[in-house]
Amino acid sequence: MELDDLKSTWQNEGNTATQNNLTTLMINNMTQEKYNSKIKKIRLPEIIGSSICVIAAGFIALNFNRLDTIVLQGIGVASIIILLIISVLSVLILQRLNLKIDLNKPYAETLKIFATQRLAFYKLQKVNIILCYLLLVTIIVLLPKLFGNKDITEYKYFWLSTFTTGYIVLFFLSKFVSKYYRKTLQQSEELLKELA
Amino acid sequence: MDKKERFIAAIKENEGFIYKIAAVYTNNTEDKNDLVQEIIYQLWKSLDSFNQQSSLNTWMYRVALNVAIFQLKVSKKSISIIPIDEQITNYQEKDDSDNDERWKIFREQIDTLNLLDKGIVLLYLDNKSYEEIAAIVGITKTNVATKLSRIKEKIKTKIHKNL
Protein backbone atom coordinates (compact mmCIF):
# COMPACT_ATOMS: atom_id res chain seq x y z
CA MET A 1 0.00 0.00 0.00
CA GLU A 2 1.28 3.46 -0.93
CA LEU A 3 0.02 7.00 -0.62
CA ASP A 4 -1.90 6.73 -3.87
CA ASP A 5 -3.69 3.64 -2.56
CA LEU A 6 -5.01 5.76 0.29
CA LYS A 7 -6.73 7.94 -2.30
CA SER A 8 -9.58 5.49 -2.76
CA THR A 9 -10.25 5.49 0.99
CA TRP A 10 -10.22 9.28 0.98
CA GLN A 11 -12.55 9.48 -2.04
CA ASN A 12 -14.84 6.90 -0.46
CA GLU A 13 -15.01 8.93 2.74
CA GLY A 14 -15.99 11.91 0.60
CA ASN A 15 -18.79 9.96 -1.05
CA THR A 16 -20.12 8.99 2.37
CA ALA A 17 -19.89 12.58 3.51
CA THR A 18 -21.84 13.96 0.56
CA GLN A 19 -24.60 11.49 1.33
CA ASN A 20 -25.08 13.57 4.47
CA ASN A 21 -26.58 16.16 2.16
CA LEU A 22 -26.48 19.37 4.13
CA THR A 23 -29.74 21.17 3.62
CA THR A 24 -30.10 24.91 3.12
CA LEU A 25 -31.70 25.16 6.57
CA MET A 26 -28.81 23.28 8.20
CA ILE A 27 -26.18 25.49 6.56
CA ASN A 28 -28.21 28.57 7.44
CA ASN A 29 -28.32 27.52 11.09
CA MET A 30 -24.59 26.85 11.13
CA THR A 31 -23.85 30.43 10.10
CA GLN A 32 -25.53 31.82 13.22
CA GLU A 33 -23.62 33.41 16.09
CA LYS A 34 -24.60 30.71 18.63
CA TYR A 35 -21.98 28.36 17.27
CA ASN A 36 -19.17 30.71 18.21
CA SER A 37 -19.40 30.03 21.91
CA LYS A 38 -16.25 28.01 22.65
CA ILE A 39 -13.97 30.90 23.48
CA LYS A 40 -16.55 32.51 25.74
CA LYS A 41 -16.71 29.33 27.83
CA ILE A 42 -12.92 29.07 28.11
CA ARG A 43 -12.71 32.57 29.57
CA LEU A 44 -14.60 31.73 32.77
CA PRO A 45 -12.12 29.45 34.63
CA GLU A 46 -9.20 31.71 33.66
CA ILE A 47 -11.07 34.79 34.90
CA ILE A 48 -12.06 33.06 38.16
CA GLY A 49 -8.44 31.93 38.78
CA SER A 50 -7.13 35.39 38.05
CA SER A 51 -9.71 37.04 40.32
CA ILE A 52 -8.87 34.68 43.20
CA CYS A 53 -5.19 35.66 42.91
CA VAL A 54 -6.02 39.38 42.94
CA ILE A 55 -8.38 38.93 45.93
CA ALA A 56 -5.70 36.93 47.82
CA ALA A 57 -3.10 39.62 47.09
CA GLY A 58 -5.56 42.26 48.34
CA PHE A 59 -6.24 40.22 51.48
CA ILE A 60 -2.54 40.02 52.32
CA ALA A 61 -2.11 43.75 51.67
CA LEU A 62 -5.08 44.64 53.90
CA ASN A 63 -3.73 42.48 56.73
CA PHE A 64 -0.14 43.52 56.27
CA ASN A 65 -0.01 45.08 59.75
CA ARG A 66 -0.34 41.59 61.26
CA LEU A 67 3.02 40.66 59.78
CA ASP A 68 5.16 41.88 62.63
CA THR A 69 8.69 40.96 61.63
CA ILE A 70 10.82 42.08 58.70
CA VAL A 71 11.04 38.47 57.47
CA LEU A 72 7.26 38.05 57.47
CA GLN A 73 6.79 41.42 55.80
CA GLY A 74 9.29 40.44 53.13
CA ILE A 75 7.45 37.16 52.58
CA GLY A 76 4.18 39.11 52.47
CA VAL A 77 5.46 41.40 49.74
CA ALA A 78 6.84 38.41 47.83
CA SER A 79 3.46 36.65 48.07
CA ILE A 80 1.61 39.71 46.77
CA ILE A 81 4.04 39.99 43.85
CA ILE A 82 3.77 36.27 43.01
CA LEU A 83 -0.04 36.38 43.18
CA LEU A 84 -0.15 39.39 40.89
CA ILE A 85 2.28 37.79 38.44
CA ILE A 86 0.18 34.59 38.35
CA SER A 87 -2.88 36.72 37.73
CA VAL A 88 -1.19 38.62 34.87
CA LEU A 89 0.08 35.35 33.38
CA SER A 90 -3.44 33.93 33.41
CA VAL A 91 -4.65 36.97 31.50
CA LEU A 92 -1.76 36.62 29.04
CA ILE A 93 -2.55 32.93 28.53
CA LEU A 94 -6.17 33.87 27.92
CA GLN A 95 -5.17 36.55 25.44
CA ARG A 96 -3.02 34.11 23.50
CA LEU A 97 -5.88 31.67 23.41
CA ASN A 98 -8.29 34.32 22.18
CA LEU A 99 -5.96 35.75 19.59
CA LYS A 100 -7.86 35.74 16.33
CA ILE A 101 -6.19 34.10 13.39
CA ASP A 102 -6.65 35.58 9.93
CA LEU A 103 -8.28 32.60 8.24
CA ASN A 104 -7.47 33.95 4.78
CA LYS A 105 -3.77 33.37 5.36
CA PRO A 106 -2.13 30.37 3.70
CA TYR A 107 -2.11 27.17 5.77
CA ALA A 108 1.67 27.28 6.37
CA GLU A 109 1.46 30.79 7.84
CA THR A 110 -1.34 29.77 10.17
CA LEU A 111 0.73 26.79 11.27
CA LYS A 112 3.68 29.05 12.03
CA ILE A 113 1.47 31.30 14.18
CA PHE A 114 -0.10 28.25 15.80
CA ALA A 115 3.23 26.62 16.70
CA THR A 116 4.70 29.90 18.01
CA GLN A 117 1.62 30.56 20.14
CA ARG A 118 1.66 27.02 21.46
CA LEU A 119 5.30 27.31 22.53
CA ALA A 120 4.66 30.62 24.26
CA PHE A 121 1.51 29.25 25.90
CA TYR A 122 3.32 26.27 27.40
CA LYS A 123 6.24 28.39 28.58
CA LEU A 124 3.79 30.62 30.44
CA GLN A 125 2.16 27.55 31.98
CA LYS A 126 5.57 26.33 33.14
CA VAL A 127 6.34 29.67 34.78
CA ASN A 128 2.92 29.52 36.45
CA ILE A 129 3.73 26.12 38.00
CA ILE A 130 7.10 27.34 39.31
CA LEU A 131 5.42 30.37 40.85
CA CYS A 132 2.84 28.11 42.49
CA TYR A 133 5.69 26.20 44.17
CA LEU A 134 7.07 29.45 45.56
CA LEU A 135 3.64 30.65 46.59
CA LEU A 136 3.00 27.47 48.53
CA VAL A 137 6.02 28.21 50.71
CA THR A 138 5.22 31.86 51.29
CA ILE A 139 1.49 31.35 51.91
CA ILE A 140 2.08 28.56 54.43
CA VAL A 141 4.39 30.82 56.40
CA LEU A 142 1.90 33.70 56.28
CA LEU A 143 -1.37 31.86 56.93
CA PRO A 144 -1.11 31.44 60.74
CA LYS A 145 -0.37 35.14 61.12
CA LEU A 146 -3.07 36.25 58.72
CA PHE A 147 -5.74 33.99 60.26
CA GLY A 148 -5.63 34.58 64.02
CA ASN A 149 -2.19 36.11 64.41
CA LYS A 150 -0.75 32.78 65.63
CA ASP A 151 2.87 31.75 65.59
CA ILE A 152 3.61 29.06 63.00
CA THR A 153 5.29 26.84 65.63
CA GLU A 154 2.03 26.53 67.65
CA TYR A 155 0.50 24.22 65.02
CA LYS A 156 3.65 22.73 63.58
CA TYR A 157 2.16 19.29 62.80
CA PHE A 158 -0.80 20.83 60.99
CA TRP A 159 1.43 23.07 58.91
CA LEU A 160 3.92 20.30 58.30
CA SER A 161 1.20 18.05 56.87
CA THR A 162 -0.30 20.93 54.84
CA PHE A 163 3.10 21.80 53.46
CA THR A 164 3.85 18.17 52.54
CA THR A 165 0.44 17.55 50.94
CA GLY A 166 0.70 20.79 48.95
CA TYR A 167 4.09 19.85 47.62
CA ILE A 168 3.07 16.30 46.74
CA VAL A 169 0.07 17.65 44.78
CA LEU A 170 2.23 20.22 43.01
CA PHE A 171 4.90 17.64 42.29
CA PHE A 172 2.46 15.33 40.51
CA LEU A 173 0.80 18.26 38.77
CA SER A 174 4.10 19.54 37.40
CA LYS A 175 5.11 15.98 36.40
CA PHE A 176 1.84 15.63 34.50
CA VAL A 177 2.23 19.05 32.88
CA SER A 178 5.80 18.43 31.71
CA LYS A 179 4.97 14.94 30.42
CA TYR A 180 1.90 16.24 28.60
CA TYR A 181 3.71 19.23 27.12
CA ARG A 182 7.03 17.63 26.19
CA LYS A 183 5.70 15.97 23.06
CA THR A 184 3.66 18.99 22.06
CA LEU A 185 6.64 21.28 22.54
CA GLN A 186 8.84 18.99 20.47
CA GLN A 187 6.25 18.86 17.69
CA SER A 188 5.86 22.64 17.70
CA GLU A 189 9.61 23.18 17.54
CA GLU A 190 9.99 20.69 14.69
CA LEU A 191 7.13 22.30 12.81
CA LEU A 192 8.66 25.76 13.18
CA LYS A 193 12.01 24.43 11.99
CA GLU A 194 10.36 22.97 8.90
CA LEU A 195 8.43 26.16 8.20
CA ALA A 196 11.46 28.42 8.65
CA MET B 1 -28.72 34.67 -6.62
CA ASP B 2 -27.89 36.56 -3.40
CA LYS B 3 -24.77 36.21 -1.25
CA LYS B 4 -26.27 33.64 1.12
CA GLU B 5 -27.57 31.48 -1.74
CA ARG B 6 -24.17 31.55 -3.44
CA PHE B 7 -22.53 30.61 -0.15
CA ILE B 8 -24.91 27.71 0.44
CA ALA B 9 -24.32 26.46 -3.12
CA ALA B 10 -20.53 26.60 -2.56
CA ILE B 11 -20.84 24.76 0.75
CA LYS B 12 -22.94 22.04 -0.84
CA GLU B 13 -20.34 21.68 -3.56
CA ASN B 14 -17.51 21.30 -1.04
CA GLU B 15 -19.29 19.55 1.83
CA GLY B 16 -17.41 16.31 1.16
CA PHE B 17 -14.09 17.99 1.80
CA ILE B 18 -15.38 19.80 4.90
CA TYR B 19 -16.58 16.54 6.44
CA LYS B 20 -13.34 14.77 5.54
CA ILE B 21 -11.19 17.53 7.03
CA ALA B 22 -13.28 17.37 10.19
CA ALA B 23 -12.89 13.60 10.30
CA VAL B 24 -9.11 13.75 9.97
CA TYR B 25 -8.47 16.56 12.45
CA THR B 26 -10.66 15.18 15.25
CA ASN B 27 -10.91 11.90 17.14
CA ASN B 28 -14.60 11.52 17.87
CA THR B 29 -17.99 12.21 16.32
CA GLU B 30 -18.83 15.06 18.66
CA ASP B 31 -15.62 16.95 17.88
CA LYS B 32 -16.08 16.19 14.19
CA ASN B 33 -19.58 17.71 14.22
CA ASP B 34 -18.30 20.73 16.12
CA LEU B 35 -15.55 21.23 13.57
CA VAL B 36 -17.94 20.96 10.60
CA GLN B 37 -20.11 23.68 12.16
CA GLU B 38 -17.11 25.81 13.03
CA ILE B 39 -15.73 25.59 9.47
CA ILE B 40 -19.08 26.58 7.96
CA TYR B 41 -19.54 29.36 10.51
CA GLN B 42 -16.04 30.75 9.91
CA LEU B 43 -16.41 30.46 6.13
CA TRP B 44 -19.58 32.53 6.31
CA LYS B 45 -17.97 35.05 8.67
CA SER B 46 -14.88 35.39 6.46
CA LEU B 47 -16.73 35.49 3.15
CA ASP B 48 -16.53 39.28 2.94
CA SER B 49 -12.73 39.13 3.22
CA PHE B 50 -12.49 36.77 0.23
CA ASN B 51 -10.54 38.94 -2.21
CA GLN B 52 -11.03 36.83 -5.35
CA GLN B 53 -7.26 36.53 -5.89
CA SER B 54 -7.79 32.80 -5.80
CA SER B 55 -10.81 30.72 -6.73
CA LEU B 56 -13.62 30.36 -4.20
CA ASN B 57 -12.82 26.65 -3.86
CA THR B 58 -9.14 27.32 -3.14
CA TRP B 59 -10.13 29.91 -0.55
CA MET B 60 -12.61 27.52 1.07
CA TYR B 61 -9.98 24.77 1.35
CA ARG B 62 -7.56 27.25 2.93
CA VAL B 63 -10.09 28.51 5.48
CA ALA B 64 -11.22 24.96 6.30
CA LEU B 65 -7.65 23.85 7.03
CA ASN B 66 -6.95 27.00 9.06
CA VAL B 67 -10.09 26.49 11.13
CA ALA B 68 -9.05 22.88 11.79
CA ILE B 69 -5.78 24.19 13.28
CA PHE B 70 -7.62 26.84 15.27
CA GLN B 71 -9.96 24.13 16.58
CA LEU B 72 -6.96 22.11 17.79
CA LYS B 73 -5.92 25.04 19.93
CA VAL B 74 -9.37 25.36 21.45
CA SER B 75 -10.02 21.64 21.93
CA LYS B 76 -6.99 21.34 24.24
CA LYS B 77 -9.27 22.92 26.81
CA SER B 78 -11.90 20.19 26.28
CA ILE B 79 -14.81 22.59 26.15
CA SER B 80 -17.97 21.49 24.44
CA ILE B 81 -20.13 23.97 22.61
CA ILE B 82 -23.80 24.68 23.07
CA PRO B 83 -25.83 21.62 22.01
CA ILE B 84 -27.48 22.08 18.67
CA ASP B 85 -30.40 20.45 16.98
CA GLU B 86 -29.97 16.72 16.50
CA GLN B 87 -30.98 17.01 12.86
CA ILE B 88 -27.98 19.23 12.11
CA THR B 89 -25.31 16.84 13.26
CA ASN B 90 -27.05 13.51 13.18
CA TYR B 91 -25.89 12.66 9.74
CA GLN B 92 -25.47 9.18 8.41
CA GLU B 93 -22.74 7.24 10.15
CA LYS B 94 -20.83 4.60 8.24
CA ASP B 95 -21.77 1.04 9.09
CA ASP B 96 -19.53 -0.62 6.55
CA SER B 97 -16.90 -2.51 8.53
CA ASP B 98 -14.59 -2.86 5.51
CA ASN B 99 -14.65 0.90 5.04
CA ASP B 100 -14.09 1.40 8.74
CA GLU B 101 -11.02 -0.82 8.62
CA ARG B 102 -9.66 1.05 5.60
CA TRP B 103 -10.35 4.36 7.30
CA LYS B 104 -8.54 3.14 10.41
CA ILE B 105 -5.44 2.28 8.36
CA PHE B 106 -5.74 5.61 6.58
CA ARG B 107 -5.87 7.51 9.87
CA GLU B 108 -2.90 5.56 11.26
CA GLN B 109 -0.82 6.67 8.29
CA ILE B 110 -2.04 10.26 8.24
CA ASP B 111 -1.64 10.73 11.98
CA THR B 112 2.07 9.97 11.78
CA LEU B 113 2.55 13.14 9.72
CA ASN B 114 3.14 16.60 11.13
CA LEU B 115 0.44 19.23 10.58
CA LEU B 116 2.11 20.72 7.51
CA ASP B 117 2.56 17.37 5.77
CA LYS B 118 -0.93 16.33 6.79
CA GLY B 119 -2.46 19.37 5.08
CA ILE B 120 -0.43 18.76 1.92
CA VAL B 121 -1.37 15.07 1.77
CA LEU B 122 -5.06 15.74 2.27
CA LEU B 123 -5.08 18.18 -0.62
CA TYR B 124 -3.13 15.72 -2.77
CA LEU B 125 -5.58 12.94 -1.94
CA ASP B 126 -8.39 15.29 -2.91
CA ASN B 127 -6.85 15.46 -6.39
CA LYS B 128 -5.59 19.01 -6.10
CA SER B 129 -2.80 19.92 -8.50
CA TYR B 130 0.63 20.94 -7.19
CA GLU B 131 -0.19 24.56 -8.12
CA GLU B 132 -3.42 24.47 -6.14
CA ILE B 133 -1.72 22.85 -3.14
CA ALA B 134 1.00 25.49 -3.26
CA ALA B 135 -1.63 28.26 -3.35
CA ILE B 136 -3.61 26.85 -0.44
CA VAL B 137 -0.65 25.97 1.76
CA GLY B 138 1.49 28.97 0.87
CA ILE B 139 4.69 27.20 -0.20
CA THR B 140 6.29 26.84 -3.62
CA LYS B 141 5.24 24.22 -6.16
CA THR B 142 8.73 22.69 -6.00
CA ASN B 143 8.47 22.47 -2.25
CA VAL B 144 5.12 20.69 -2.58
CA ALA B 145 6.67 18.15 -4.96
CA THR B 146 9.65 17.56 -2.67
CA LYS B 147 7.50 17.17 0.41
CA LEU B 148 5.07 14.81 -1.32
CA SER B 149 7.86 12.65 -2.58
CA ARG B 150 9.32 12.47 0.94
CA ILE B 151 5.92 11.72 2.46
CA LYS B 152 5.24 8.96 -0.09
CA GLU B 153 8.55 7.35 0.78
CA LYS B 154 7.88 7.67 4.50
CA ILE B 155 4.45 6.05 4.23
CA LYS B 156 5.75 3.29 1.97
CA THR B 157 8.58 2.46 4.38
CA LYS B 158 6.27 2.53 7.36
CA ILE B 159 3.73 0.21 5.75
CA HIS B 160 6.44 -2.24 4.65
CA LYS B 161 7.84 -2.23 8.18
CA ASN B 162 4.42 -3.10 9.59
CA LEU B 163 3.86 -5.96 7.15
Side-chain angles (χ1 to χ4, degrees):
Chain A
M1 191 191 266
E2 294 183 16
L3 183 60
D4 288 304
D5 298 320
L6 297 176
K7 251 185 188 174
S8 61
T9 312
W10 179 253
Q11 299 298 342
N12 191 44
E13 182 71 12
N15 293 338
T16 313
T18 42
Q19 283 167 19
N20 300 326
N21 206 12
L22 281 170
T23 65
T24 304
L25 176 68
M26 283 156 75
I27 297 170
N28 231 332
N29 284 338
M30 287 183 191
T31 60
Q32 304 305 307
E33 185 68 32
K34 65 176 176 175
Y35 298 108
N36 189 26
S37 57
K38 284 191 180 73
I39 294 293
K40 287 172 194 159
K41 286 196 171 187
I42 289 166
R43 278 184 192 146
L44 195 62
E46 302 285 349
I47 289 169
I48 290 172
S50 213
S51 307
I52 289 171
C53 285
V54 172
I55 291 167
F59 178 77
I60 297 171
L62 282 173
N63 292 283
F64 202 76
N65 58 332
R66 291 185 179 187
L67 309 174
D68 46 14
T69 64
I70 302 246
V71 175
L72 282 174
Q73 285 170 358
I75 293 171
V77 172
S79 300
I80 292 172
I81 292 170
I82 292 170
L83 281 163
L84 292 178
I85 293 174
I86 291 175
S87 172
V88 170
L89 283 182
S90 297
V91 174
L92 282 176
I93 286 168
L94 190 69
Q95 272 187 338
R96 290 198 176 276
L97 210 67
N98 286 350
L99 210 65
K100 292 280 178 208
I101 294 171
D102 179 3
L103 297 170
N104 296 302
K105 280 184 190 295
Y107 182 65
E109 272 188 51
T110 307
L111 275 181
K112 207 181 276 184
I113 296 167
F114 174 71
T116 312
Q117 281 182 359
R118 204 152 63 157
L119 281 175
F121 173 80
Y122 293 138
K123 276 176 191 160
L124 286 178
Q125 291 281 40
K126 212 171 152 186
V127 174
N128 243 347
I129 296 271
I130 294 166
L131 288 175
C132 284
Y133 267 110
L134 285 173
L135 190 66
L136 192 66
V137 180
T138 59
I139 288 291
I140 283 172
V141 175
L142 293 181
L143 273 180
K145 279 282 174 190
L146 294 174
F147 292 97
N149 213 12
K150 301 262 169 48
D151 193 291
I152 192 163
T153 50
E154 281 183 49
Y155 299 96
K156 60 181 174 188
Y157 293 112
F158 172 73
W159 294 117
L160 192 68
S161 57
T162 311
F163 194 80
T164 315
T165 313
Y167 259 91
I168 289 171
V169 170
L170 261 181
F171 174 76
F172 283 108
L173 181 71
S174 57
K175 269 260 208 214
F176 168 77
V177 168
S178 62
K179 190 183 165 191
Y180 178 76
Y181 290 159
R182 200 176 301 133
K183 203 178 164 196
T184 317
L185 278 171
Q186 200 185 334
Q187 284 171 347
S188 300
E189 279 163 358
E190 280 170 10
L191 198 59
L192 278 174
K193 213 183 281 175
E194 197 165 341
L195 288 163
Chain B
M1 200 189 263
D2 71 1
K3 185 182 153 192
K4 192 77 172 243
E5 282 171 343
R6 279 201 310 274
F7 175 75
I8 289 170
I11 290 289
K12 282 184 175 173
E13 197 186 319
N14 289 293
E15 68 175 306
F17 184 72
I18 294 172
Y19 274 108
K20 285 188 288 184
I21 284 284
V24 168
Y25 281 84
T26 56
N27 289 318
N28 60 57
T29 311
E30 195 189 346
D31 284 351
K32 184 168 77 175
N33 294 337
D34 286 353
L35 186 51
V36 169
Q37 293 158 37
E38 192 66 22
I39 290 172
I40 292 174
Y41 174 73
Q42 293 296 344
L43 279 168
W44 173 245
K45 232 175 85 175
S46 312
L47 192 61
D48 288 335
S49 59
F50 169 56
N51 55 19
Q52 311 216 343
Q53 279 178 348
S54 56
S55 74
L56 183 64
N57 277 5
T58 300
W59 175 79
M60 287 182 101
Y61 273 68
R62 184 184 280 181
V63 172
L65 285 167
N66 286 342
V67 173
I69 295 298
F70 180 74
Q71 187 85 354
L72 279 179
K73 198 166 76 156
V74 175
S75 67
K76 293 286 175 206
K77 285 274 183 177
S78 304
I79 302 291
S80 59
I81 65 167
I82 293 170
I84 57 166
D85 297 345
E86 279 284 302
Q87 53 144 356
I88 294 176
T89 57
N90 195 19
Y91 54 80
Q92 186 185 344
E93 291 292 329
K94 299 186 296 295
D95 54 0
D96 186 331
S97 57
D98 188 38
N99 275 350
D100 283 348
E101 190 54 37
R102 280 170 164 271
W103 182 249
K104 201 179 148 207
I105 296 168
F106 178 87
R107 279 298 303 264
E108 277 169 9
Q109 298 310 315
I110 295 297
D111 286 344
T112 59
L113 305 172
N114 69 37
L115 289 170
L116 178 64
D117 292 348
K118 192 189 258 190
I120 293 170
V121 164
L122 297 185
L123 293 166
Y124 173 77
L125 295 177
D126 219 53
N127 288 325
K128 293 284 160 206
S129 67
Y130 285 10
E131 284 91 345
E132 285 173 301
I133 297 174
I136 294 166
V137 176
I139 56 176
T140 62
K141 195 180 144 189
T142 323
N143 213 344
V144 171
T146 313
K147 281 188 184 298
L148 271 172
S149 150
R150 208 183 59 199
I151 296 164
K152 278 180 186 177
E153 199 52 44
K154 187 180 170 186
I155 289 180
K156 199 170 153 185
T157 315
K158 199 167 178 295
I159 289 172
H160 281 297
K161 243 185 218 174
N162 290 342
L163 285 176

